[in-house]
Amino acid sequence: MHPRAEPPLHALSRRPTLRSIEHEHHPERRATWTELFFDVVYVVAIARVAHELKQDPTLPGAAAFAGLFVPVWWSWIGVTIYADRFDADDTADRLLLALQMLGVAALAVQIHDGVGINAPGLALAYCGLRLLLILFYARAWRHIPEARPLAARYMAGFSLALLPWLASVFVPSPLRFGLWAAGIAIDLLTPLASRPQQGALPLSPAHLPERFGLFTLIVLGETVASVVGGVAGQHWAATSVLTAVLSFAFAFAMGWLYFDNVKHATVHPKRRSAQVWVYIHLFLMMGLTASGAGAELLIAIPPGEPVSAAARWLFCAATASCFAAFAVILRTTECSPGRRPRRDLRPGMLLVASGTMMLIGLGGEALPPFLLTGSAGALAALQLVAHHQGRAHARRDPG
């Protein structure tokens, strides 16, 4: 990964430009150092969300985890998609981005008990982030005539989504969570309802996958940190170490698979599959984060003690989500010539792996922790073997 060179200081005050025009001349556009710096604050937010899940791995806890994770992820998506189309990387953009980073930090602070006593603060922090994104699009609307139809729809949709979030500050639970769901639904549906306006402003087939890959690195880093934290809290029991090693094998294999796909495939910017590709990453990111939390719980189980149903279901459902989401990611990307066989069996194999983990969650009451993480690790390793065999076959028989 080679971040794009920063502009000289005398060029830091300039109007945003339409990046889809730049793609024609610089198709290998890379992330900027400013974008990488922006991602750093999400390390804290993801870690906080994962910690809340580890504290309550029950079904209500998982629902709270999803309710906290989606605003964090969607706030990152909003800025990333804007920057992919319009980023000027000038003084105004950097100052707005700095405010976004402060907003994410405020959101991370409120995540602890974010569905309880800190829920009003979390809602206000998210509203602040959305208002800043609306200011980004107002700047694009002002300076780029071609962007006005899309920017106007985004500003209207995101503004409408703010209303339920603001109202939730003044109402008790569970009505508050219904308002959150309504606000998130409007946020998520706004881009889907703006496809005609998006046609003239395609996303970058190179820059966007790189940005998603960088966020995936953050999530994988949290997964590894959970595994390390789980081992560090034990007295080096052999079963705990084995459980940790096998859960690390799962995370490593999934990272290998994902980044190989990012390297050799592109997202077609003008097809509906590009939107599916973006949205399905939510389930991959949540799955990876939750699998790390589940692995830490499994590592902490003393030798000889049974695995709780909550810990078993958390880990199995999370890894199943990873396999299923990656199957869809493979279907929505296009491989370069000679990289994908004519009949790609990998998505089907991933769905089988997803179903297998769900069956283990359903009937694996007697399995020790290391067999649960070992099952996920073995299934991920099989996907990796199939992946490399498929690529080798495609190179030998590209027709």
Side-chain angles (χ1 to χ4, degrees):
M1 192 273 298
H2 302 287
R4 178 165 56 88
E6 303 292 344
L9 290 177
H10 66 270
L12 289 181
S13 181
R14 60 189 184 192
R15 297 179 178 183
T17 58
L18 188 57
R19 292 293 185 180
S20 57
I21 296 175
E22 182 186 77
H23 300 336
E24 299 174 5
H25 306 288
H26 303 284
E28 295 300 319
R29 176 188 168 198
R30 299 298 183 183
T32 66
W33 291 113
T34 306
E35 288 177 307
L36 302 184
F37 186 36
F38 171 68
D39 290 349
V40 170
V41 72
Y42 281 91
V43 174
V44 180
I46 296 297
R48 300 279 291 182
V49 175
H51 177 75
E52 292 298 300
L53 181 59
K54 285 178 280 191
Q55 297 299 110
D56 183 11
T58 62
L59 186 59
F65 162 75
L68 295 171
F69 192 96
V70 173
V72 171
W73 178 79
W74 191 245
S75 68
W76 181 86
I77 289 289
V79 175
T80 298
I81 296 297
Y82 170 86
D84 189 84
R85 286 193 171 106
F86 307 117
D87 175 37
D89 199 26
D90 66 347
T91 301
D93 268 8
R94 291 185 182 188
L95 291 176
L96 285 173
L97 205 61
L99 292 175
Q100 281 275 355
M101 294 172 71
L102 284 174
V104 175
L107 189 69
V109 169
Q110 301 299 323
I111 282 172
H112 175 63
D113 203 14
V115 296
I117 193 171
N118 287 332
L122 185 139
L124 288 174
Y126 184 71
C127 287
L129 290 170
R130 303 313 285 171
L131 282 171
L132 288 170
L133 183 63
I134 291 168
L135 287 177
F136 272 120
Y137 277 103
R139 192 163 182 250
W141 184 91
R142 177 186 177 189
H143 293 295
I144 309 174
E146 306 96 311
R148 287 175 182 169
L150 179 64
R153 287 185 70 92
Y154 276 13
M155 287 189 291
F158 297 155
S159 298
L160 181 62
L162 279 177
L163 300 180
W165 281 95
L166 285 173
S168 75
V169 175
F170 306 102
V171 301
S173 303
L175 179 57
R176 170 182 291 135
F177 305 132
L179 291 170
W180 285 12
I184 283 292
I186 296 170
D187 263 340
L188 295 175
L189 289 172
T190 294
L192 296 177
S194 307
R195 278 186 53 79
Q197 291 75 25
Q198 293 169 6
L201 308 171
L203 297 169
S204 168
H207 176 255
L208 191 65
E210 181 187 37
R211 296 294 293 123
F212 274 75
L214 292 169
F215 194 84
T216 304
L217 275 177
I218 292 173
V219 175
L220 284 170
E222 171 55 31
T223 302
V224 173
S226 294
V227 172
V228 173
V231 175
Q234 305 306 309
H235 295 291
W236 290 95
T239 54
S240 296
V241 173
L242 181 58
T243 302
V245 170
L246 293 172
S247 59
F248 175 80
F250 165 77
F252 182 81
M254 291 303 296
W256 191 337
L257 287 167
Y258 182 87
F259 293 117
D260 256 14
N261 185 64
V262 167
K263 180 180 179 181
H264 297 302
T266 58
V267 181
H268 197 293
K270 293 186 178 181
R271 294 182 181 174
R272 188 179 296 274
S273 60
Q275 287 184 321
V276 176
W277 184 89
V278 169
Y279 282 71
I280 202 63
H281 270 79
L282 170 61
F283 297 97
L284 178 64
M285 299 300 104
M286 284 200 300
L288 288 172
T289 305
S291 70
E296 185 169 348
L297 293 174
L298 293 175
I299 294 166
I301 295 174
E305 289 196 12
V307 178
S308 68
R312 184 182 75 252
W313 268 112
L314 174 59
F315 182 77
C316 291
T319 51
S321 174
C322 293
F323 286 130
F326 191 63
V328 179
I329 288 171
L330 284 179
R331 283 297 188 193
T332 52
T333 53
E334 296 180 352
C335 279
S336 56
R339 291 294 182 182
R340 177 174 291 176
R342 285 173 293 179
R343 292 186 60 199
D344 192 355
L345 302 178
R346 292 176 300 161
M349 292 181 62
L350 284 160
L351 292 177
V352 169
S354 177
T356 301
M357 289 307 301
M358 291 302 292
L359 289 175
I360 291 173
L362 182 65
E365 299 93 341
L367 293 179
F370 71 88
L371 282 183
L372 291 173
T373 59
S375 299
L379 288 168
L382 286 174
Q383 308 305 317
L384 197 56
V385 171
H387 168 73
H388 283 281
Q389 287 181 340
R391 283 178 53 192
H393 177 73
R395 285 193 294 267
R396 290 194 302 267
D397 182 22

